[in-house]
Amino acid sequence: MSSPSHRLAPARRSASGWSAVSGVVAGLVLVAVAELLSLAFSSSSAPFVAVGGAFVDIVPPGVKDLVISLFGTRDKLVLFLSMIVVYAALTALIGRLGATRPRPAAALLAGLGVLAMVLVLTRAQNTALDVVPTLIGTVVAVPTLLLLLRTVRAPAAVDDPGAAWTRRRSLLGIGAVGLLAVVAAATARSITASRELARRTAQYVLPTPRSTAAPIPPDAQVQLEGMPPFVTPNGEFYRIDTALAVPRVDPTTWQLRIHGLVDQELTMDFAQLLAEPMIEKHLTLACVSNPVGGDLAGNATWLGVPVRTLLERAGVKDGADMVLSRSIDGFTASTPLEALTDARDSLIAVGMNGEPLPAQHGYPVRMVVPGLYGYVSATKWLTELKVTRFADDVAYWSTRGWSERGPIKIASRVDVPRSFGELSPDGEGAVMLGGTAWAQQRGIAKIEVRIDDGDWREADLGAEVTEDTWVQWSLRWEDAAPGDHSVTVRATDGEGELQTSQRANPAPNGASGWHTVRFSVV
């Protein structure tokens, strides 16, 4: 007959494992309660959003570029999943500690809650009230942990079937609490997504523009399977920003403040902005994090008020050379003053492709500026324009090693074929190649293509809509030989400058180099 200590050893190991599970479940309760309550507060009052936002603020540019190059627009999802894994590991360790020392474990869980509350307060759009969701989540989670640990640690007589059943029922209860917490958190996320959808379909009538964008000729679109649409649909437009949760902006209380080195400060509400004379503009936006050949660029038709109209009304003082735009979530961009006051149509935009701005693209108001990367110009959820000087103010990314002014470099890419794709010759033994190029404010004058190590060949250009939109190109390769090949593309802009072959990483002022794709003819 085995000794009592031998009979109890498996039970102790089981209790230790269930204690870890209890820690994870209590952590889930904290997050679930906070997520549900955050629906009544700002979008960044949820603890994961606040913690993730703080992490994004401190991450070096090189790490940011690496993540975007690996995951693209799924970078935020990857960040959230990583935080979930780390949080689960921490709460499991807290639970394991609670198997023998429940009170210190409870104190550590409370400490995680306090840390989250501190980070909630660091978010620009939050007030002291926005800690309430995490505070209540912590207040609920700590006694939940102690209760679950007590259940796990309760002795169960080995030879008493009734006591064993009671213990199993208690452990099933732990699983049920965890499941309810997951469902509650998922429900909160679902409600948030539904609210964002409601904002995307907000029913207000866009103003009739004073001048409409020029019609897009049919031959601007290269008719080749695999080519992107000339106008990027709203739902497919790339999104790169620092907001882990889309800010909740009420247009009825929204205001834009224009101040700094101006003759008179201006403040206007959304109704006043909509009453301003507006124009439409076809414009390609590009992210500075876009690698050579990347897809972090999109072309849309924007509706808005020229920024220079409002700056002229405010009266810019001598010596100013920069406008610091600010988002409701605290993001700032340093835009050279001349880019907002010269002949280009920089806009305070309210519409995108004939619809109100989608929530994830800046609803209700954002900036779009031709010729500059988004990190110095395309501020979403805009609330403030400060006329200032580069010598006096710095913006979000310029404090993190990126250049201050961010002019867009000449870019070209191969869209057809895709990397390591296959092309089949037509009846005449030819294959079609195609792609996209842009050089805002200069336009694209010529595209050249090199197949393998051969001579450069001039490609056919689709119709240019404006110098601020991308241009599509195509090339018919006669007598395409079966086998493996490469295609390289380079562009010449409207001022005669040839795109450089010198490779450069996105940081600190945008990627450069020729795009090459390897493919097969079958």
Side-chain angles (χ1 to χ4, degrees):
M1 180 179 297
S2 61
S3 68
S5 62
H6 289 161
R7 296 202 307 268
L8 289 176
R12 286 172 179 160
R13 288 195 295 270
S14 175
S16 180
W18 277 105
S19 294
V21 172
S22 298
V24 174
V25 169
L28 283 173
V29 168
L30 191 161
V31 171
V33 171
E35 284 280 352
L36 282 171
L37 292 176
S38 72
L39 295 172
F41 296 83
S42 80
S43 59
S44 56
S45 64
F48 269 25
V49 174
V51 172
F55 176 79
V56 170
D57 285 349
I58 64 173
V59 68
V63 175
K64 170 181 175 287
D65 282 337
L66 175 63
V67 172
I68 291 177
S69 67
L70 292 173
F71 304 107
T73 56
R74 296 183 294 276
D75 57 337
K76 293 180 175 64
L77 174 61
V78 171
L79 176 57
F80 275 119
L81 292 176
S82 301
M83 286 193 296
I84 289 171
V85 170
V86 172
Y87 184 66
L90 287 175
T91 52
L93 290 174
I94 288 174
R96 287 290 297 269
L97 174 65
T100 55
R101 304 181 66 188
R103 289 186 178 178
L108 286 175
L109 183 61
L112 284 182
V114 171
L115 175 61
M117 284 184 271
V118 170
L119 295 179
V120 165
L121 289 174
T122 67
R123 302 298 87 201
Q125 68 190 101
N126 289 348
T127 67
L129 285 177
D130 288 301
V131 305
V132 169
T134 304
L135 174 62
I136 295 179
T138 304
V139 168
V140 173
V142 168
T144 299
L145 175 63
L146 292 172
L147 178 61
L148 295 179
L149 290 174
R150 186 181 305 166
T151 299
V152 169
R153 294 169 64 244
V158 174
D159 299 325
D160 186 348
W165 164 243
T166 299
R167 180 179 176 80
R168 286 195 296 271
R169 186 172 58 186
S170 299
L171 297 179
L172 287 173
I174 294 175
V177 172
L179 179 61
L180 285 174
V182 170
V183 170
T187 300
R189 289 288 93 195
S190 177
I191 293 173
T192 299
S194 298
R195 285 184 172 182
E196 292 179 12
L197 178 61
R199 289 187 180 91
R200 288 198 294 269
T201 56
Q203 295 302 308
Y204 64 83
V205 178
L206 288 175
T208 301
R210 179 186 63 197
S211 64
T212 57
I216 298 174
D219 55 351
Q221 175 71 55
V222 168
Q223 300 301 323
L224 178 59
E225 184 178 356
M227 287 290 290
F230 184 82
V231 174
T232 310
N234 290 356
E236 298 175 16
F237 207 94
Y238 79 95
R239 179 195 165 195
I240 298 291
D241 52 54
T242 62
L244 295 185
V246 175
R248 300 166 189 154
V249 184
D250 183 353
T252 63
T253 59
W254 175 88
Q255 287 188 325
L256 174 65
R257 181 188 178 206
I258 302 175
H259 66 111
L261 297 177
V262 296
D263 295 330
Q264 60 177 3
E265 183 174 320
L266 296 180
T267 301
M268 59 195 323
D269 60 27
F270 192 55
Q272 291 171 323
L273 181 66
L274 292 180
E276 292 287 332
M278 296 198 175
I279 63 173
E280 275 187 331
K281 173 75 176 178
H282 301 307
L283 174 61
T284 296
L285 298 185
C287 180
V288 72
S289 296
N290 199 32
V292 173
D295 60 359
L296 298 181
N299 187 51
T301 303
W302 306 91
L303 173 69
V305 179
V307 183
R308 62 176 173 268
T309 300
L310 301 183
L311 291 180
E312 288 171 359
R313 190 176 305 167
V316 176
K317 292 184 177 180
D318 292 340
D321 62 4
M322 186 257 276
V323 173
L324 191 74
S325 54
R326 186 178 299 275
S327 167
I328 194 173
D329 69 345
F331 172 84
T332 53
S334 54
T335 308
L337 178 63
E338 65 267 19
L340 303 178
T341 56
D342 61 16
R344 77 186 81 185
D345 291 321
S346 300
L347 300 179
I348 296 174
V350 298
M352 181 179 182
N353 291 334
E355 301 176 359
L357 286 174
Q360 70 271 34
H361 291 298
Y363 176 88
V365 178
R366 66 169 294 165
M367 284 179 63
V368 291
V369 179
L372 299 180
Y373 287 119
Y375 81 104
V376 297
S377 64
T379 303
K380 303 173 184 176
W381 313 291
L382 179 69
T383 61
E384 181 182 329
L385 297 176
K386 180 183 179 183
V387 180
T388 181
R389 289 183 284 257
F390 281 105
D392 297 334
D393 280 294
V394 291
Y396 185 92
W397 285 116
S398 58
T399 63
R400 291 163 172 83
W402 296 81
S403 64
E404 289 182 327
R405 298 173 183 266
I408 291 178
K409 298 178 180 180
I410 307 171
S412 60
R413 72 184 185 208
V414 178
D415 291 306
V416 179
R418 295 295 183 183
S419 185
F420 300 105
E422 295 181 346
L423 294 179
S424 298
D426 60 19
E428 299 177 354
V431 297
M432 291 296 298
L433 311 175
T436 312
W438 57 89
Q440 291 89 323
Q441 288 288 284
R442 294 154 290 172
I444 297 293
K446 183 170 65 174
I447 291 291
E448 296 172 289
V449 175
R450 182 176 65 195
I451 299 169
D452 299 327
D453 294 321
D455 296 331
W456 290 98
R457 315 178 187 198
E458 189 167 348
D460 295 323
L461 291 180
E464 181 184 72
V465 177
T466 76
E467 64 181 11
D468 289 325
T469 61
W470 59 23
V471 174
Q472 297 189 339
W473 61 266
S474 63
L475 178 76
R476 179 179 172 84
W477 179 24
E478 307 284 355
D479 301 322
D484 296 334
H485 299 280
S486 65
V487 55
T488 302
V489 62
R490 68 184 185 185
T492 300
D493 70 14
E495 297 177 353
E497 181 182 350
L498 177 65
Q499 180 182 359
T500 180
S501 62
Q502 184 174 354
R503 302 287 293 200
N505 293 324
N509 60 357
S512 67
W514 296 340
H515 185 215
T516 297
V517 166
R518 302 190 181 280
F519 68 104
S520 299
V521 174
V522 296

